Amino acid sequence: MTSSYAVAALDRGDIRKNLTSLVSHWRPRIDEWKSTGKRHTEKSHAQQFWSDLLRSFGVIPERIDLFERDAARASTGNTGYIDLFWSGVVLGEAKSLGRDLDAAFSQALDYLAGGSIEQHEWPNLSAPSLRSVRPRGTSAPQRAGSTRDGRKCLLEPRWPRLVSG
């Protein structure tokens, strides 16, 4: 469900400032987790991170049903939970620090192929980790500049990498 009040209009300068603030908030936490070997960071912090990231773009996550969407997995036929799902917009799979990020992307594709998400709900972006966002139809994170099909990309230095259509 998306309310007309779920997204505030922000200009690029505001978004860039918000993303810089996001990095300033999250980078020290992540560095500490790395230095102390903290485990299970996905379960403990993913929803807060996604919420903070969306707020950077003017999205009010509390007004949209975004987290832990039930979905069938094609590989097993079992039901799992997509970490972040905004119908027609983004699918996000977070992994704890040190985990295989390609596995997160494969997991996202597995949910899409599982049959419980209708094709009209498929996102324009998939966010298979807390470090990268991929446009639908690409197999690897893109660098700053443009995507393979020429769409412009926005890259915030080091954290997070975002690609918009």
Side-chain angles (χ1 to χ4, degrees):
M1 156 188 278
T2 304
S3 165
S4 60
Y5 299 104
V7 181
L10 297 178
D11 66 27
R12 260 191 180 167
D14 288 335
I15 293 170
R16 186 171 298 275
K17 184 170 46 174
N18 292 345
L19 289 171
T20 299
S21 177
L22 176 87
V23 171
S24 296
H25 173 75
W26 281 94
R27 174 56 31 192
R29 296 174 85 182
I30 293 165
D31 290 343
E32 179 183 339
W33 299 338
K34 285 180 179 180
S35 70
T36 62
K38 182 168 180 162
R39 299 173 47 135
H40 310 293
T41 53
E42 174 188 358
K43 294 287 182 207
S44 303
H45 303 286
Q47 287 184 11
Q48 183 61 53
F49 175 82
W50 292 126
S51 293
D52 290 352
L53 177 63
L54 290 168
R55 277 189 199 88
S56 296
F57 291 93
V59 176
I60 304 167
E62 293 82 7
R63 298 196 179 178
I64 308 168
D65 187 15
L66 295 171
F67 302 114
E68 302 298 322
R69 158 102 183 239
D70 290 356
R73 294 189 69 163
S75 63
T76 64
N78 295 330
T79 299
Y81 301 95
I82 300 172
D83 293 336
L84 168 71
F85 186 81
W86 185 356
S87 181
V89 179
V90 66
L91 183 156
E93 277 300 322
K95 293 296 174 205
S96 292
L97 293 174
R99 297 290 182 173
D100 180 8
L101 301 182
D102 288 332
F105 187 65
S106 295
Q107 185 177 354
L109 294 177
D110 194 30
Y111 283 128
L112 292 175
S116 60
I117 298 174
E118 299 292 327
Q119 193 165 1
H120 72 276
E121 294 182 283
W122 283 23
N124 288 321
L125 300 172
S126 68
S129 73
L130 297 182
R131 289 194 296 175
S132 65
V133 178
R134 301 174 188 183
R136 182 169 45 185
T138 64
S139 59
Q142 305 297 307
R143 300 193 185 282
S146 62
T147 62
R148 290 182 197 165
D149 62 356
R151 290 183 282 170
K152 296 295 178 194
C153 299
L154 168 65
L155 176 66
E156 186 64 21
R158 291 182 303 221
W159 179 268
R161 183 179 328 174
L162 302 171
V163 181
S164 64

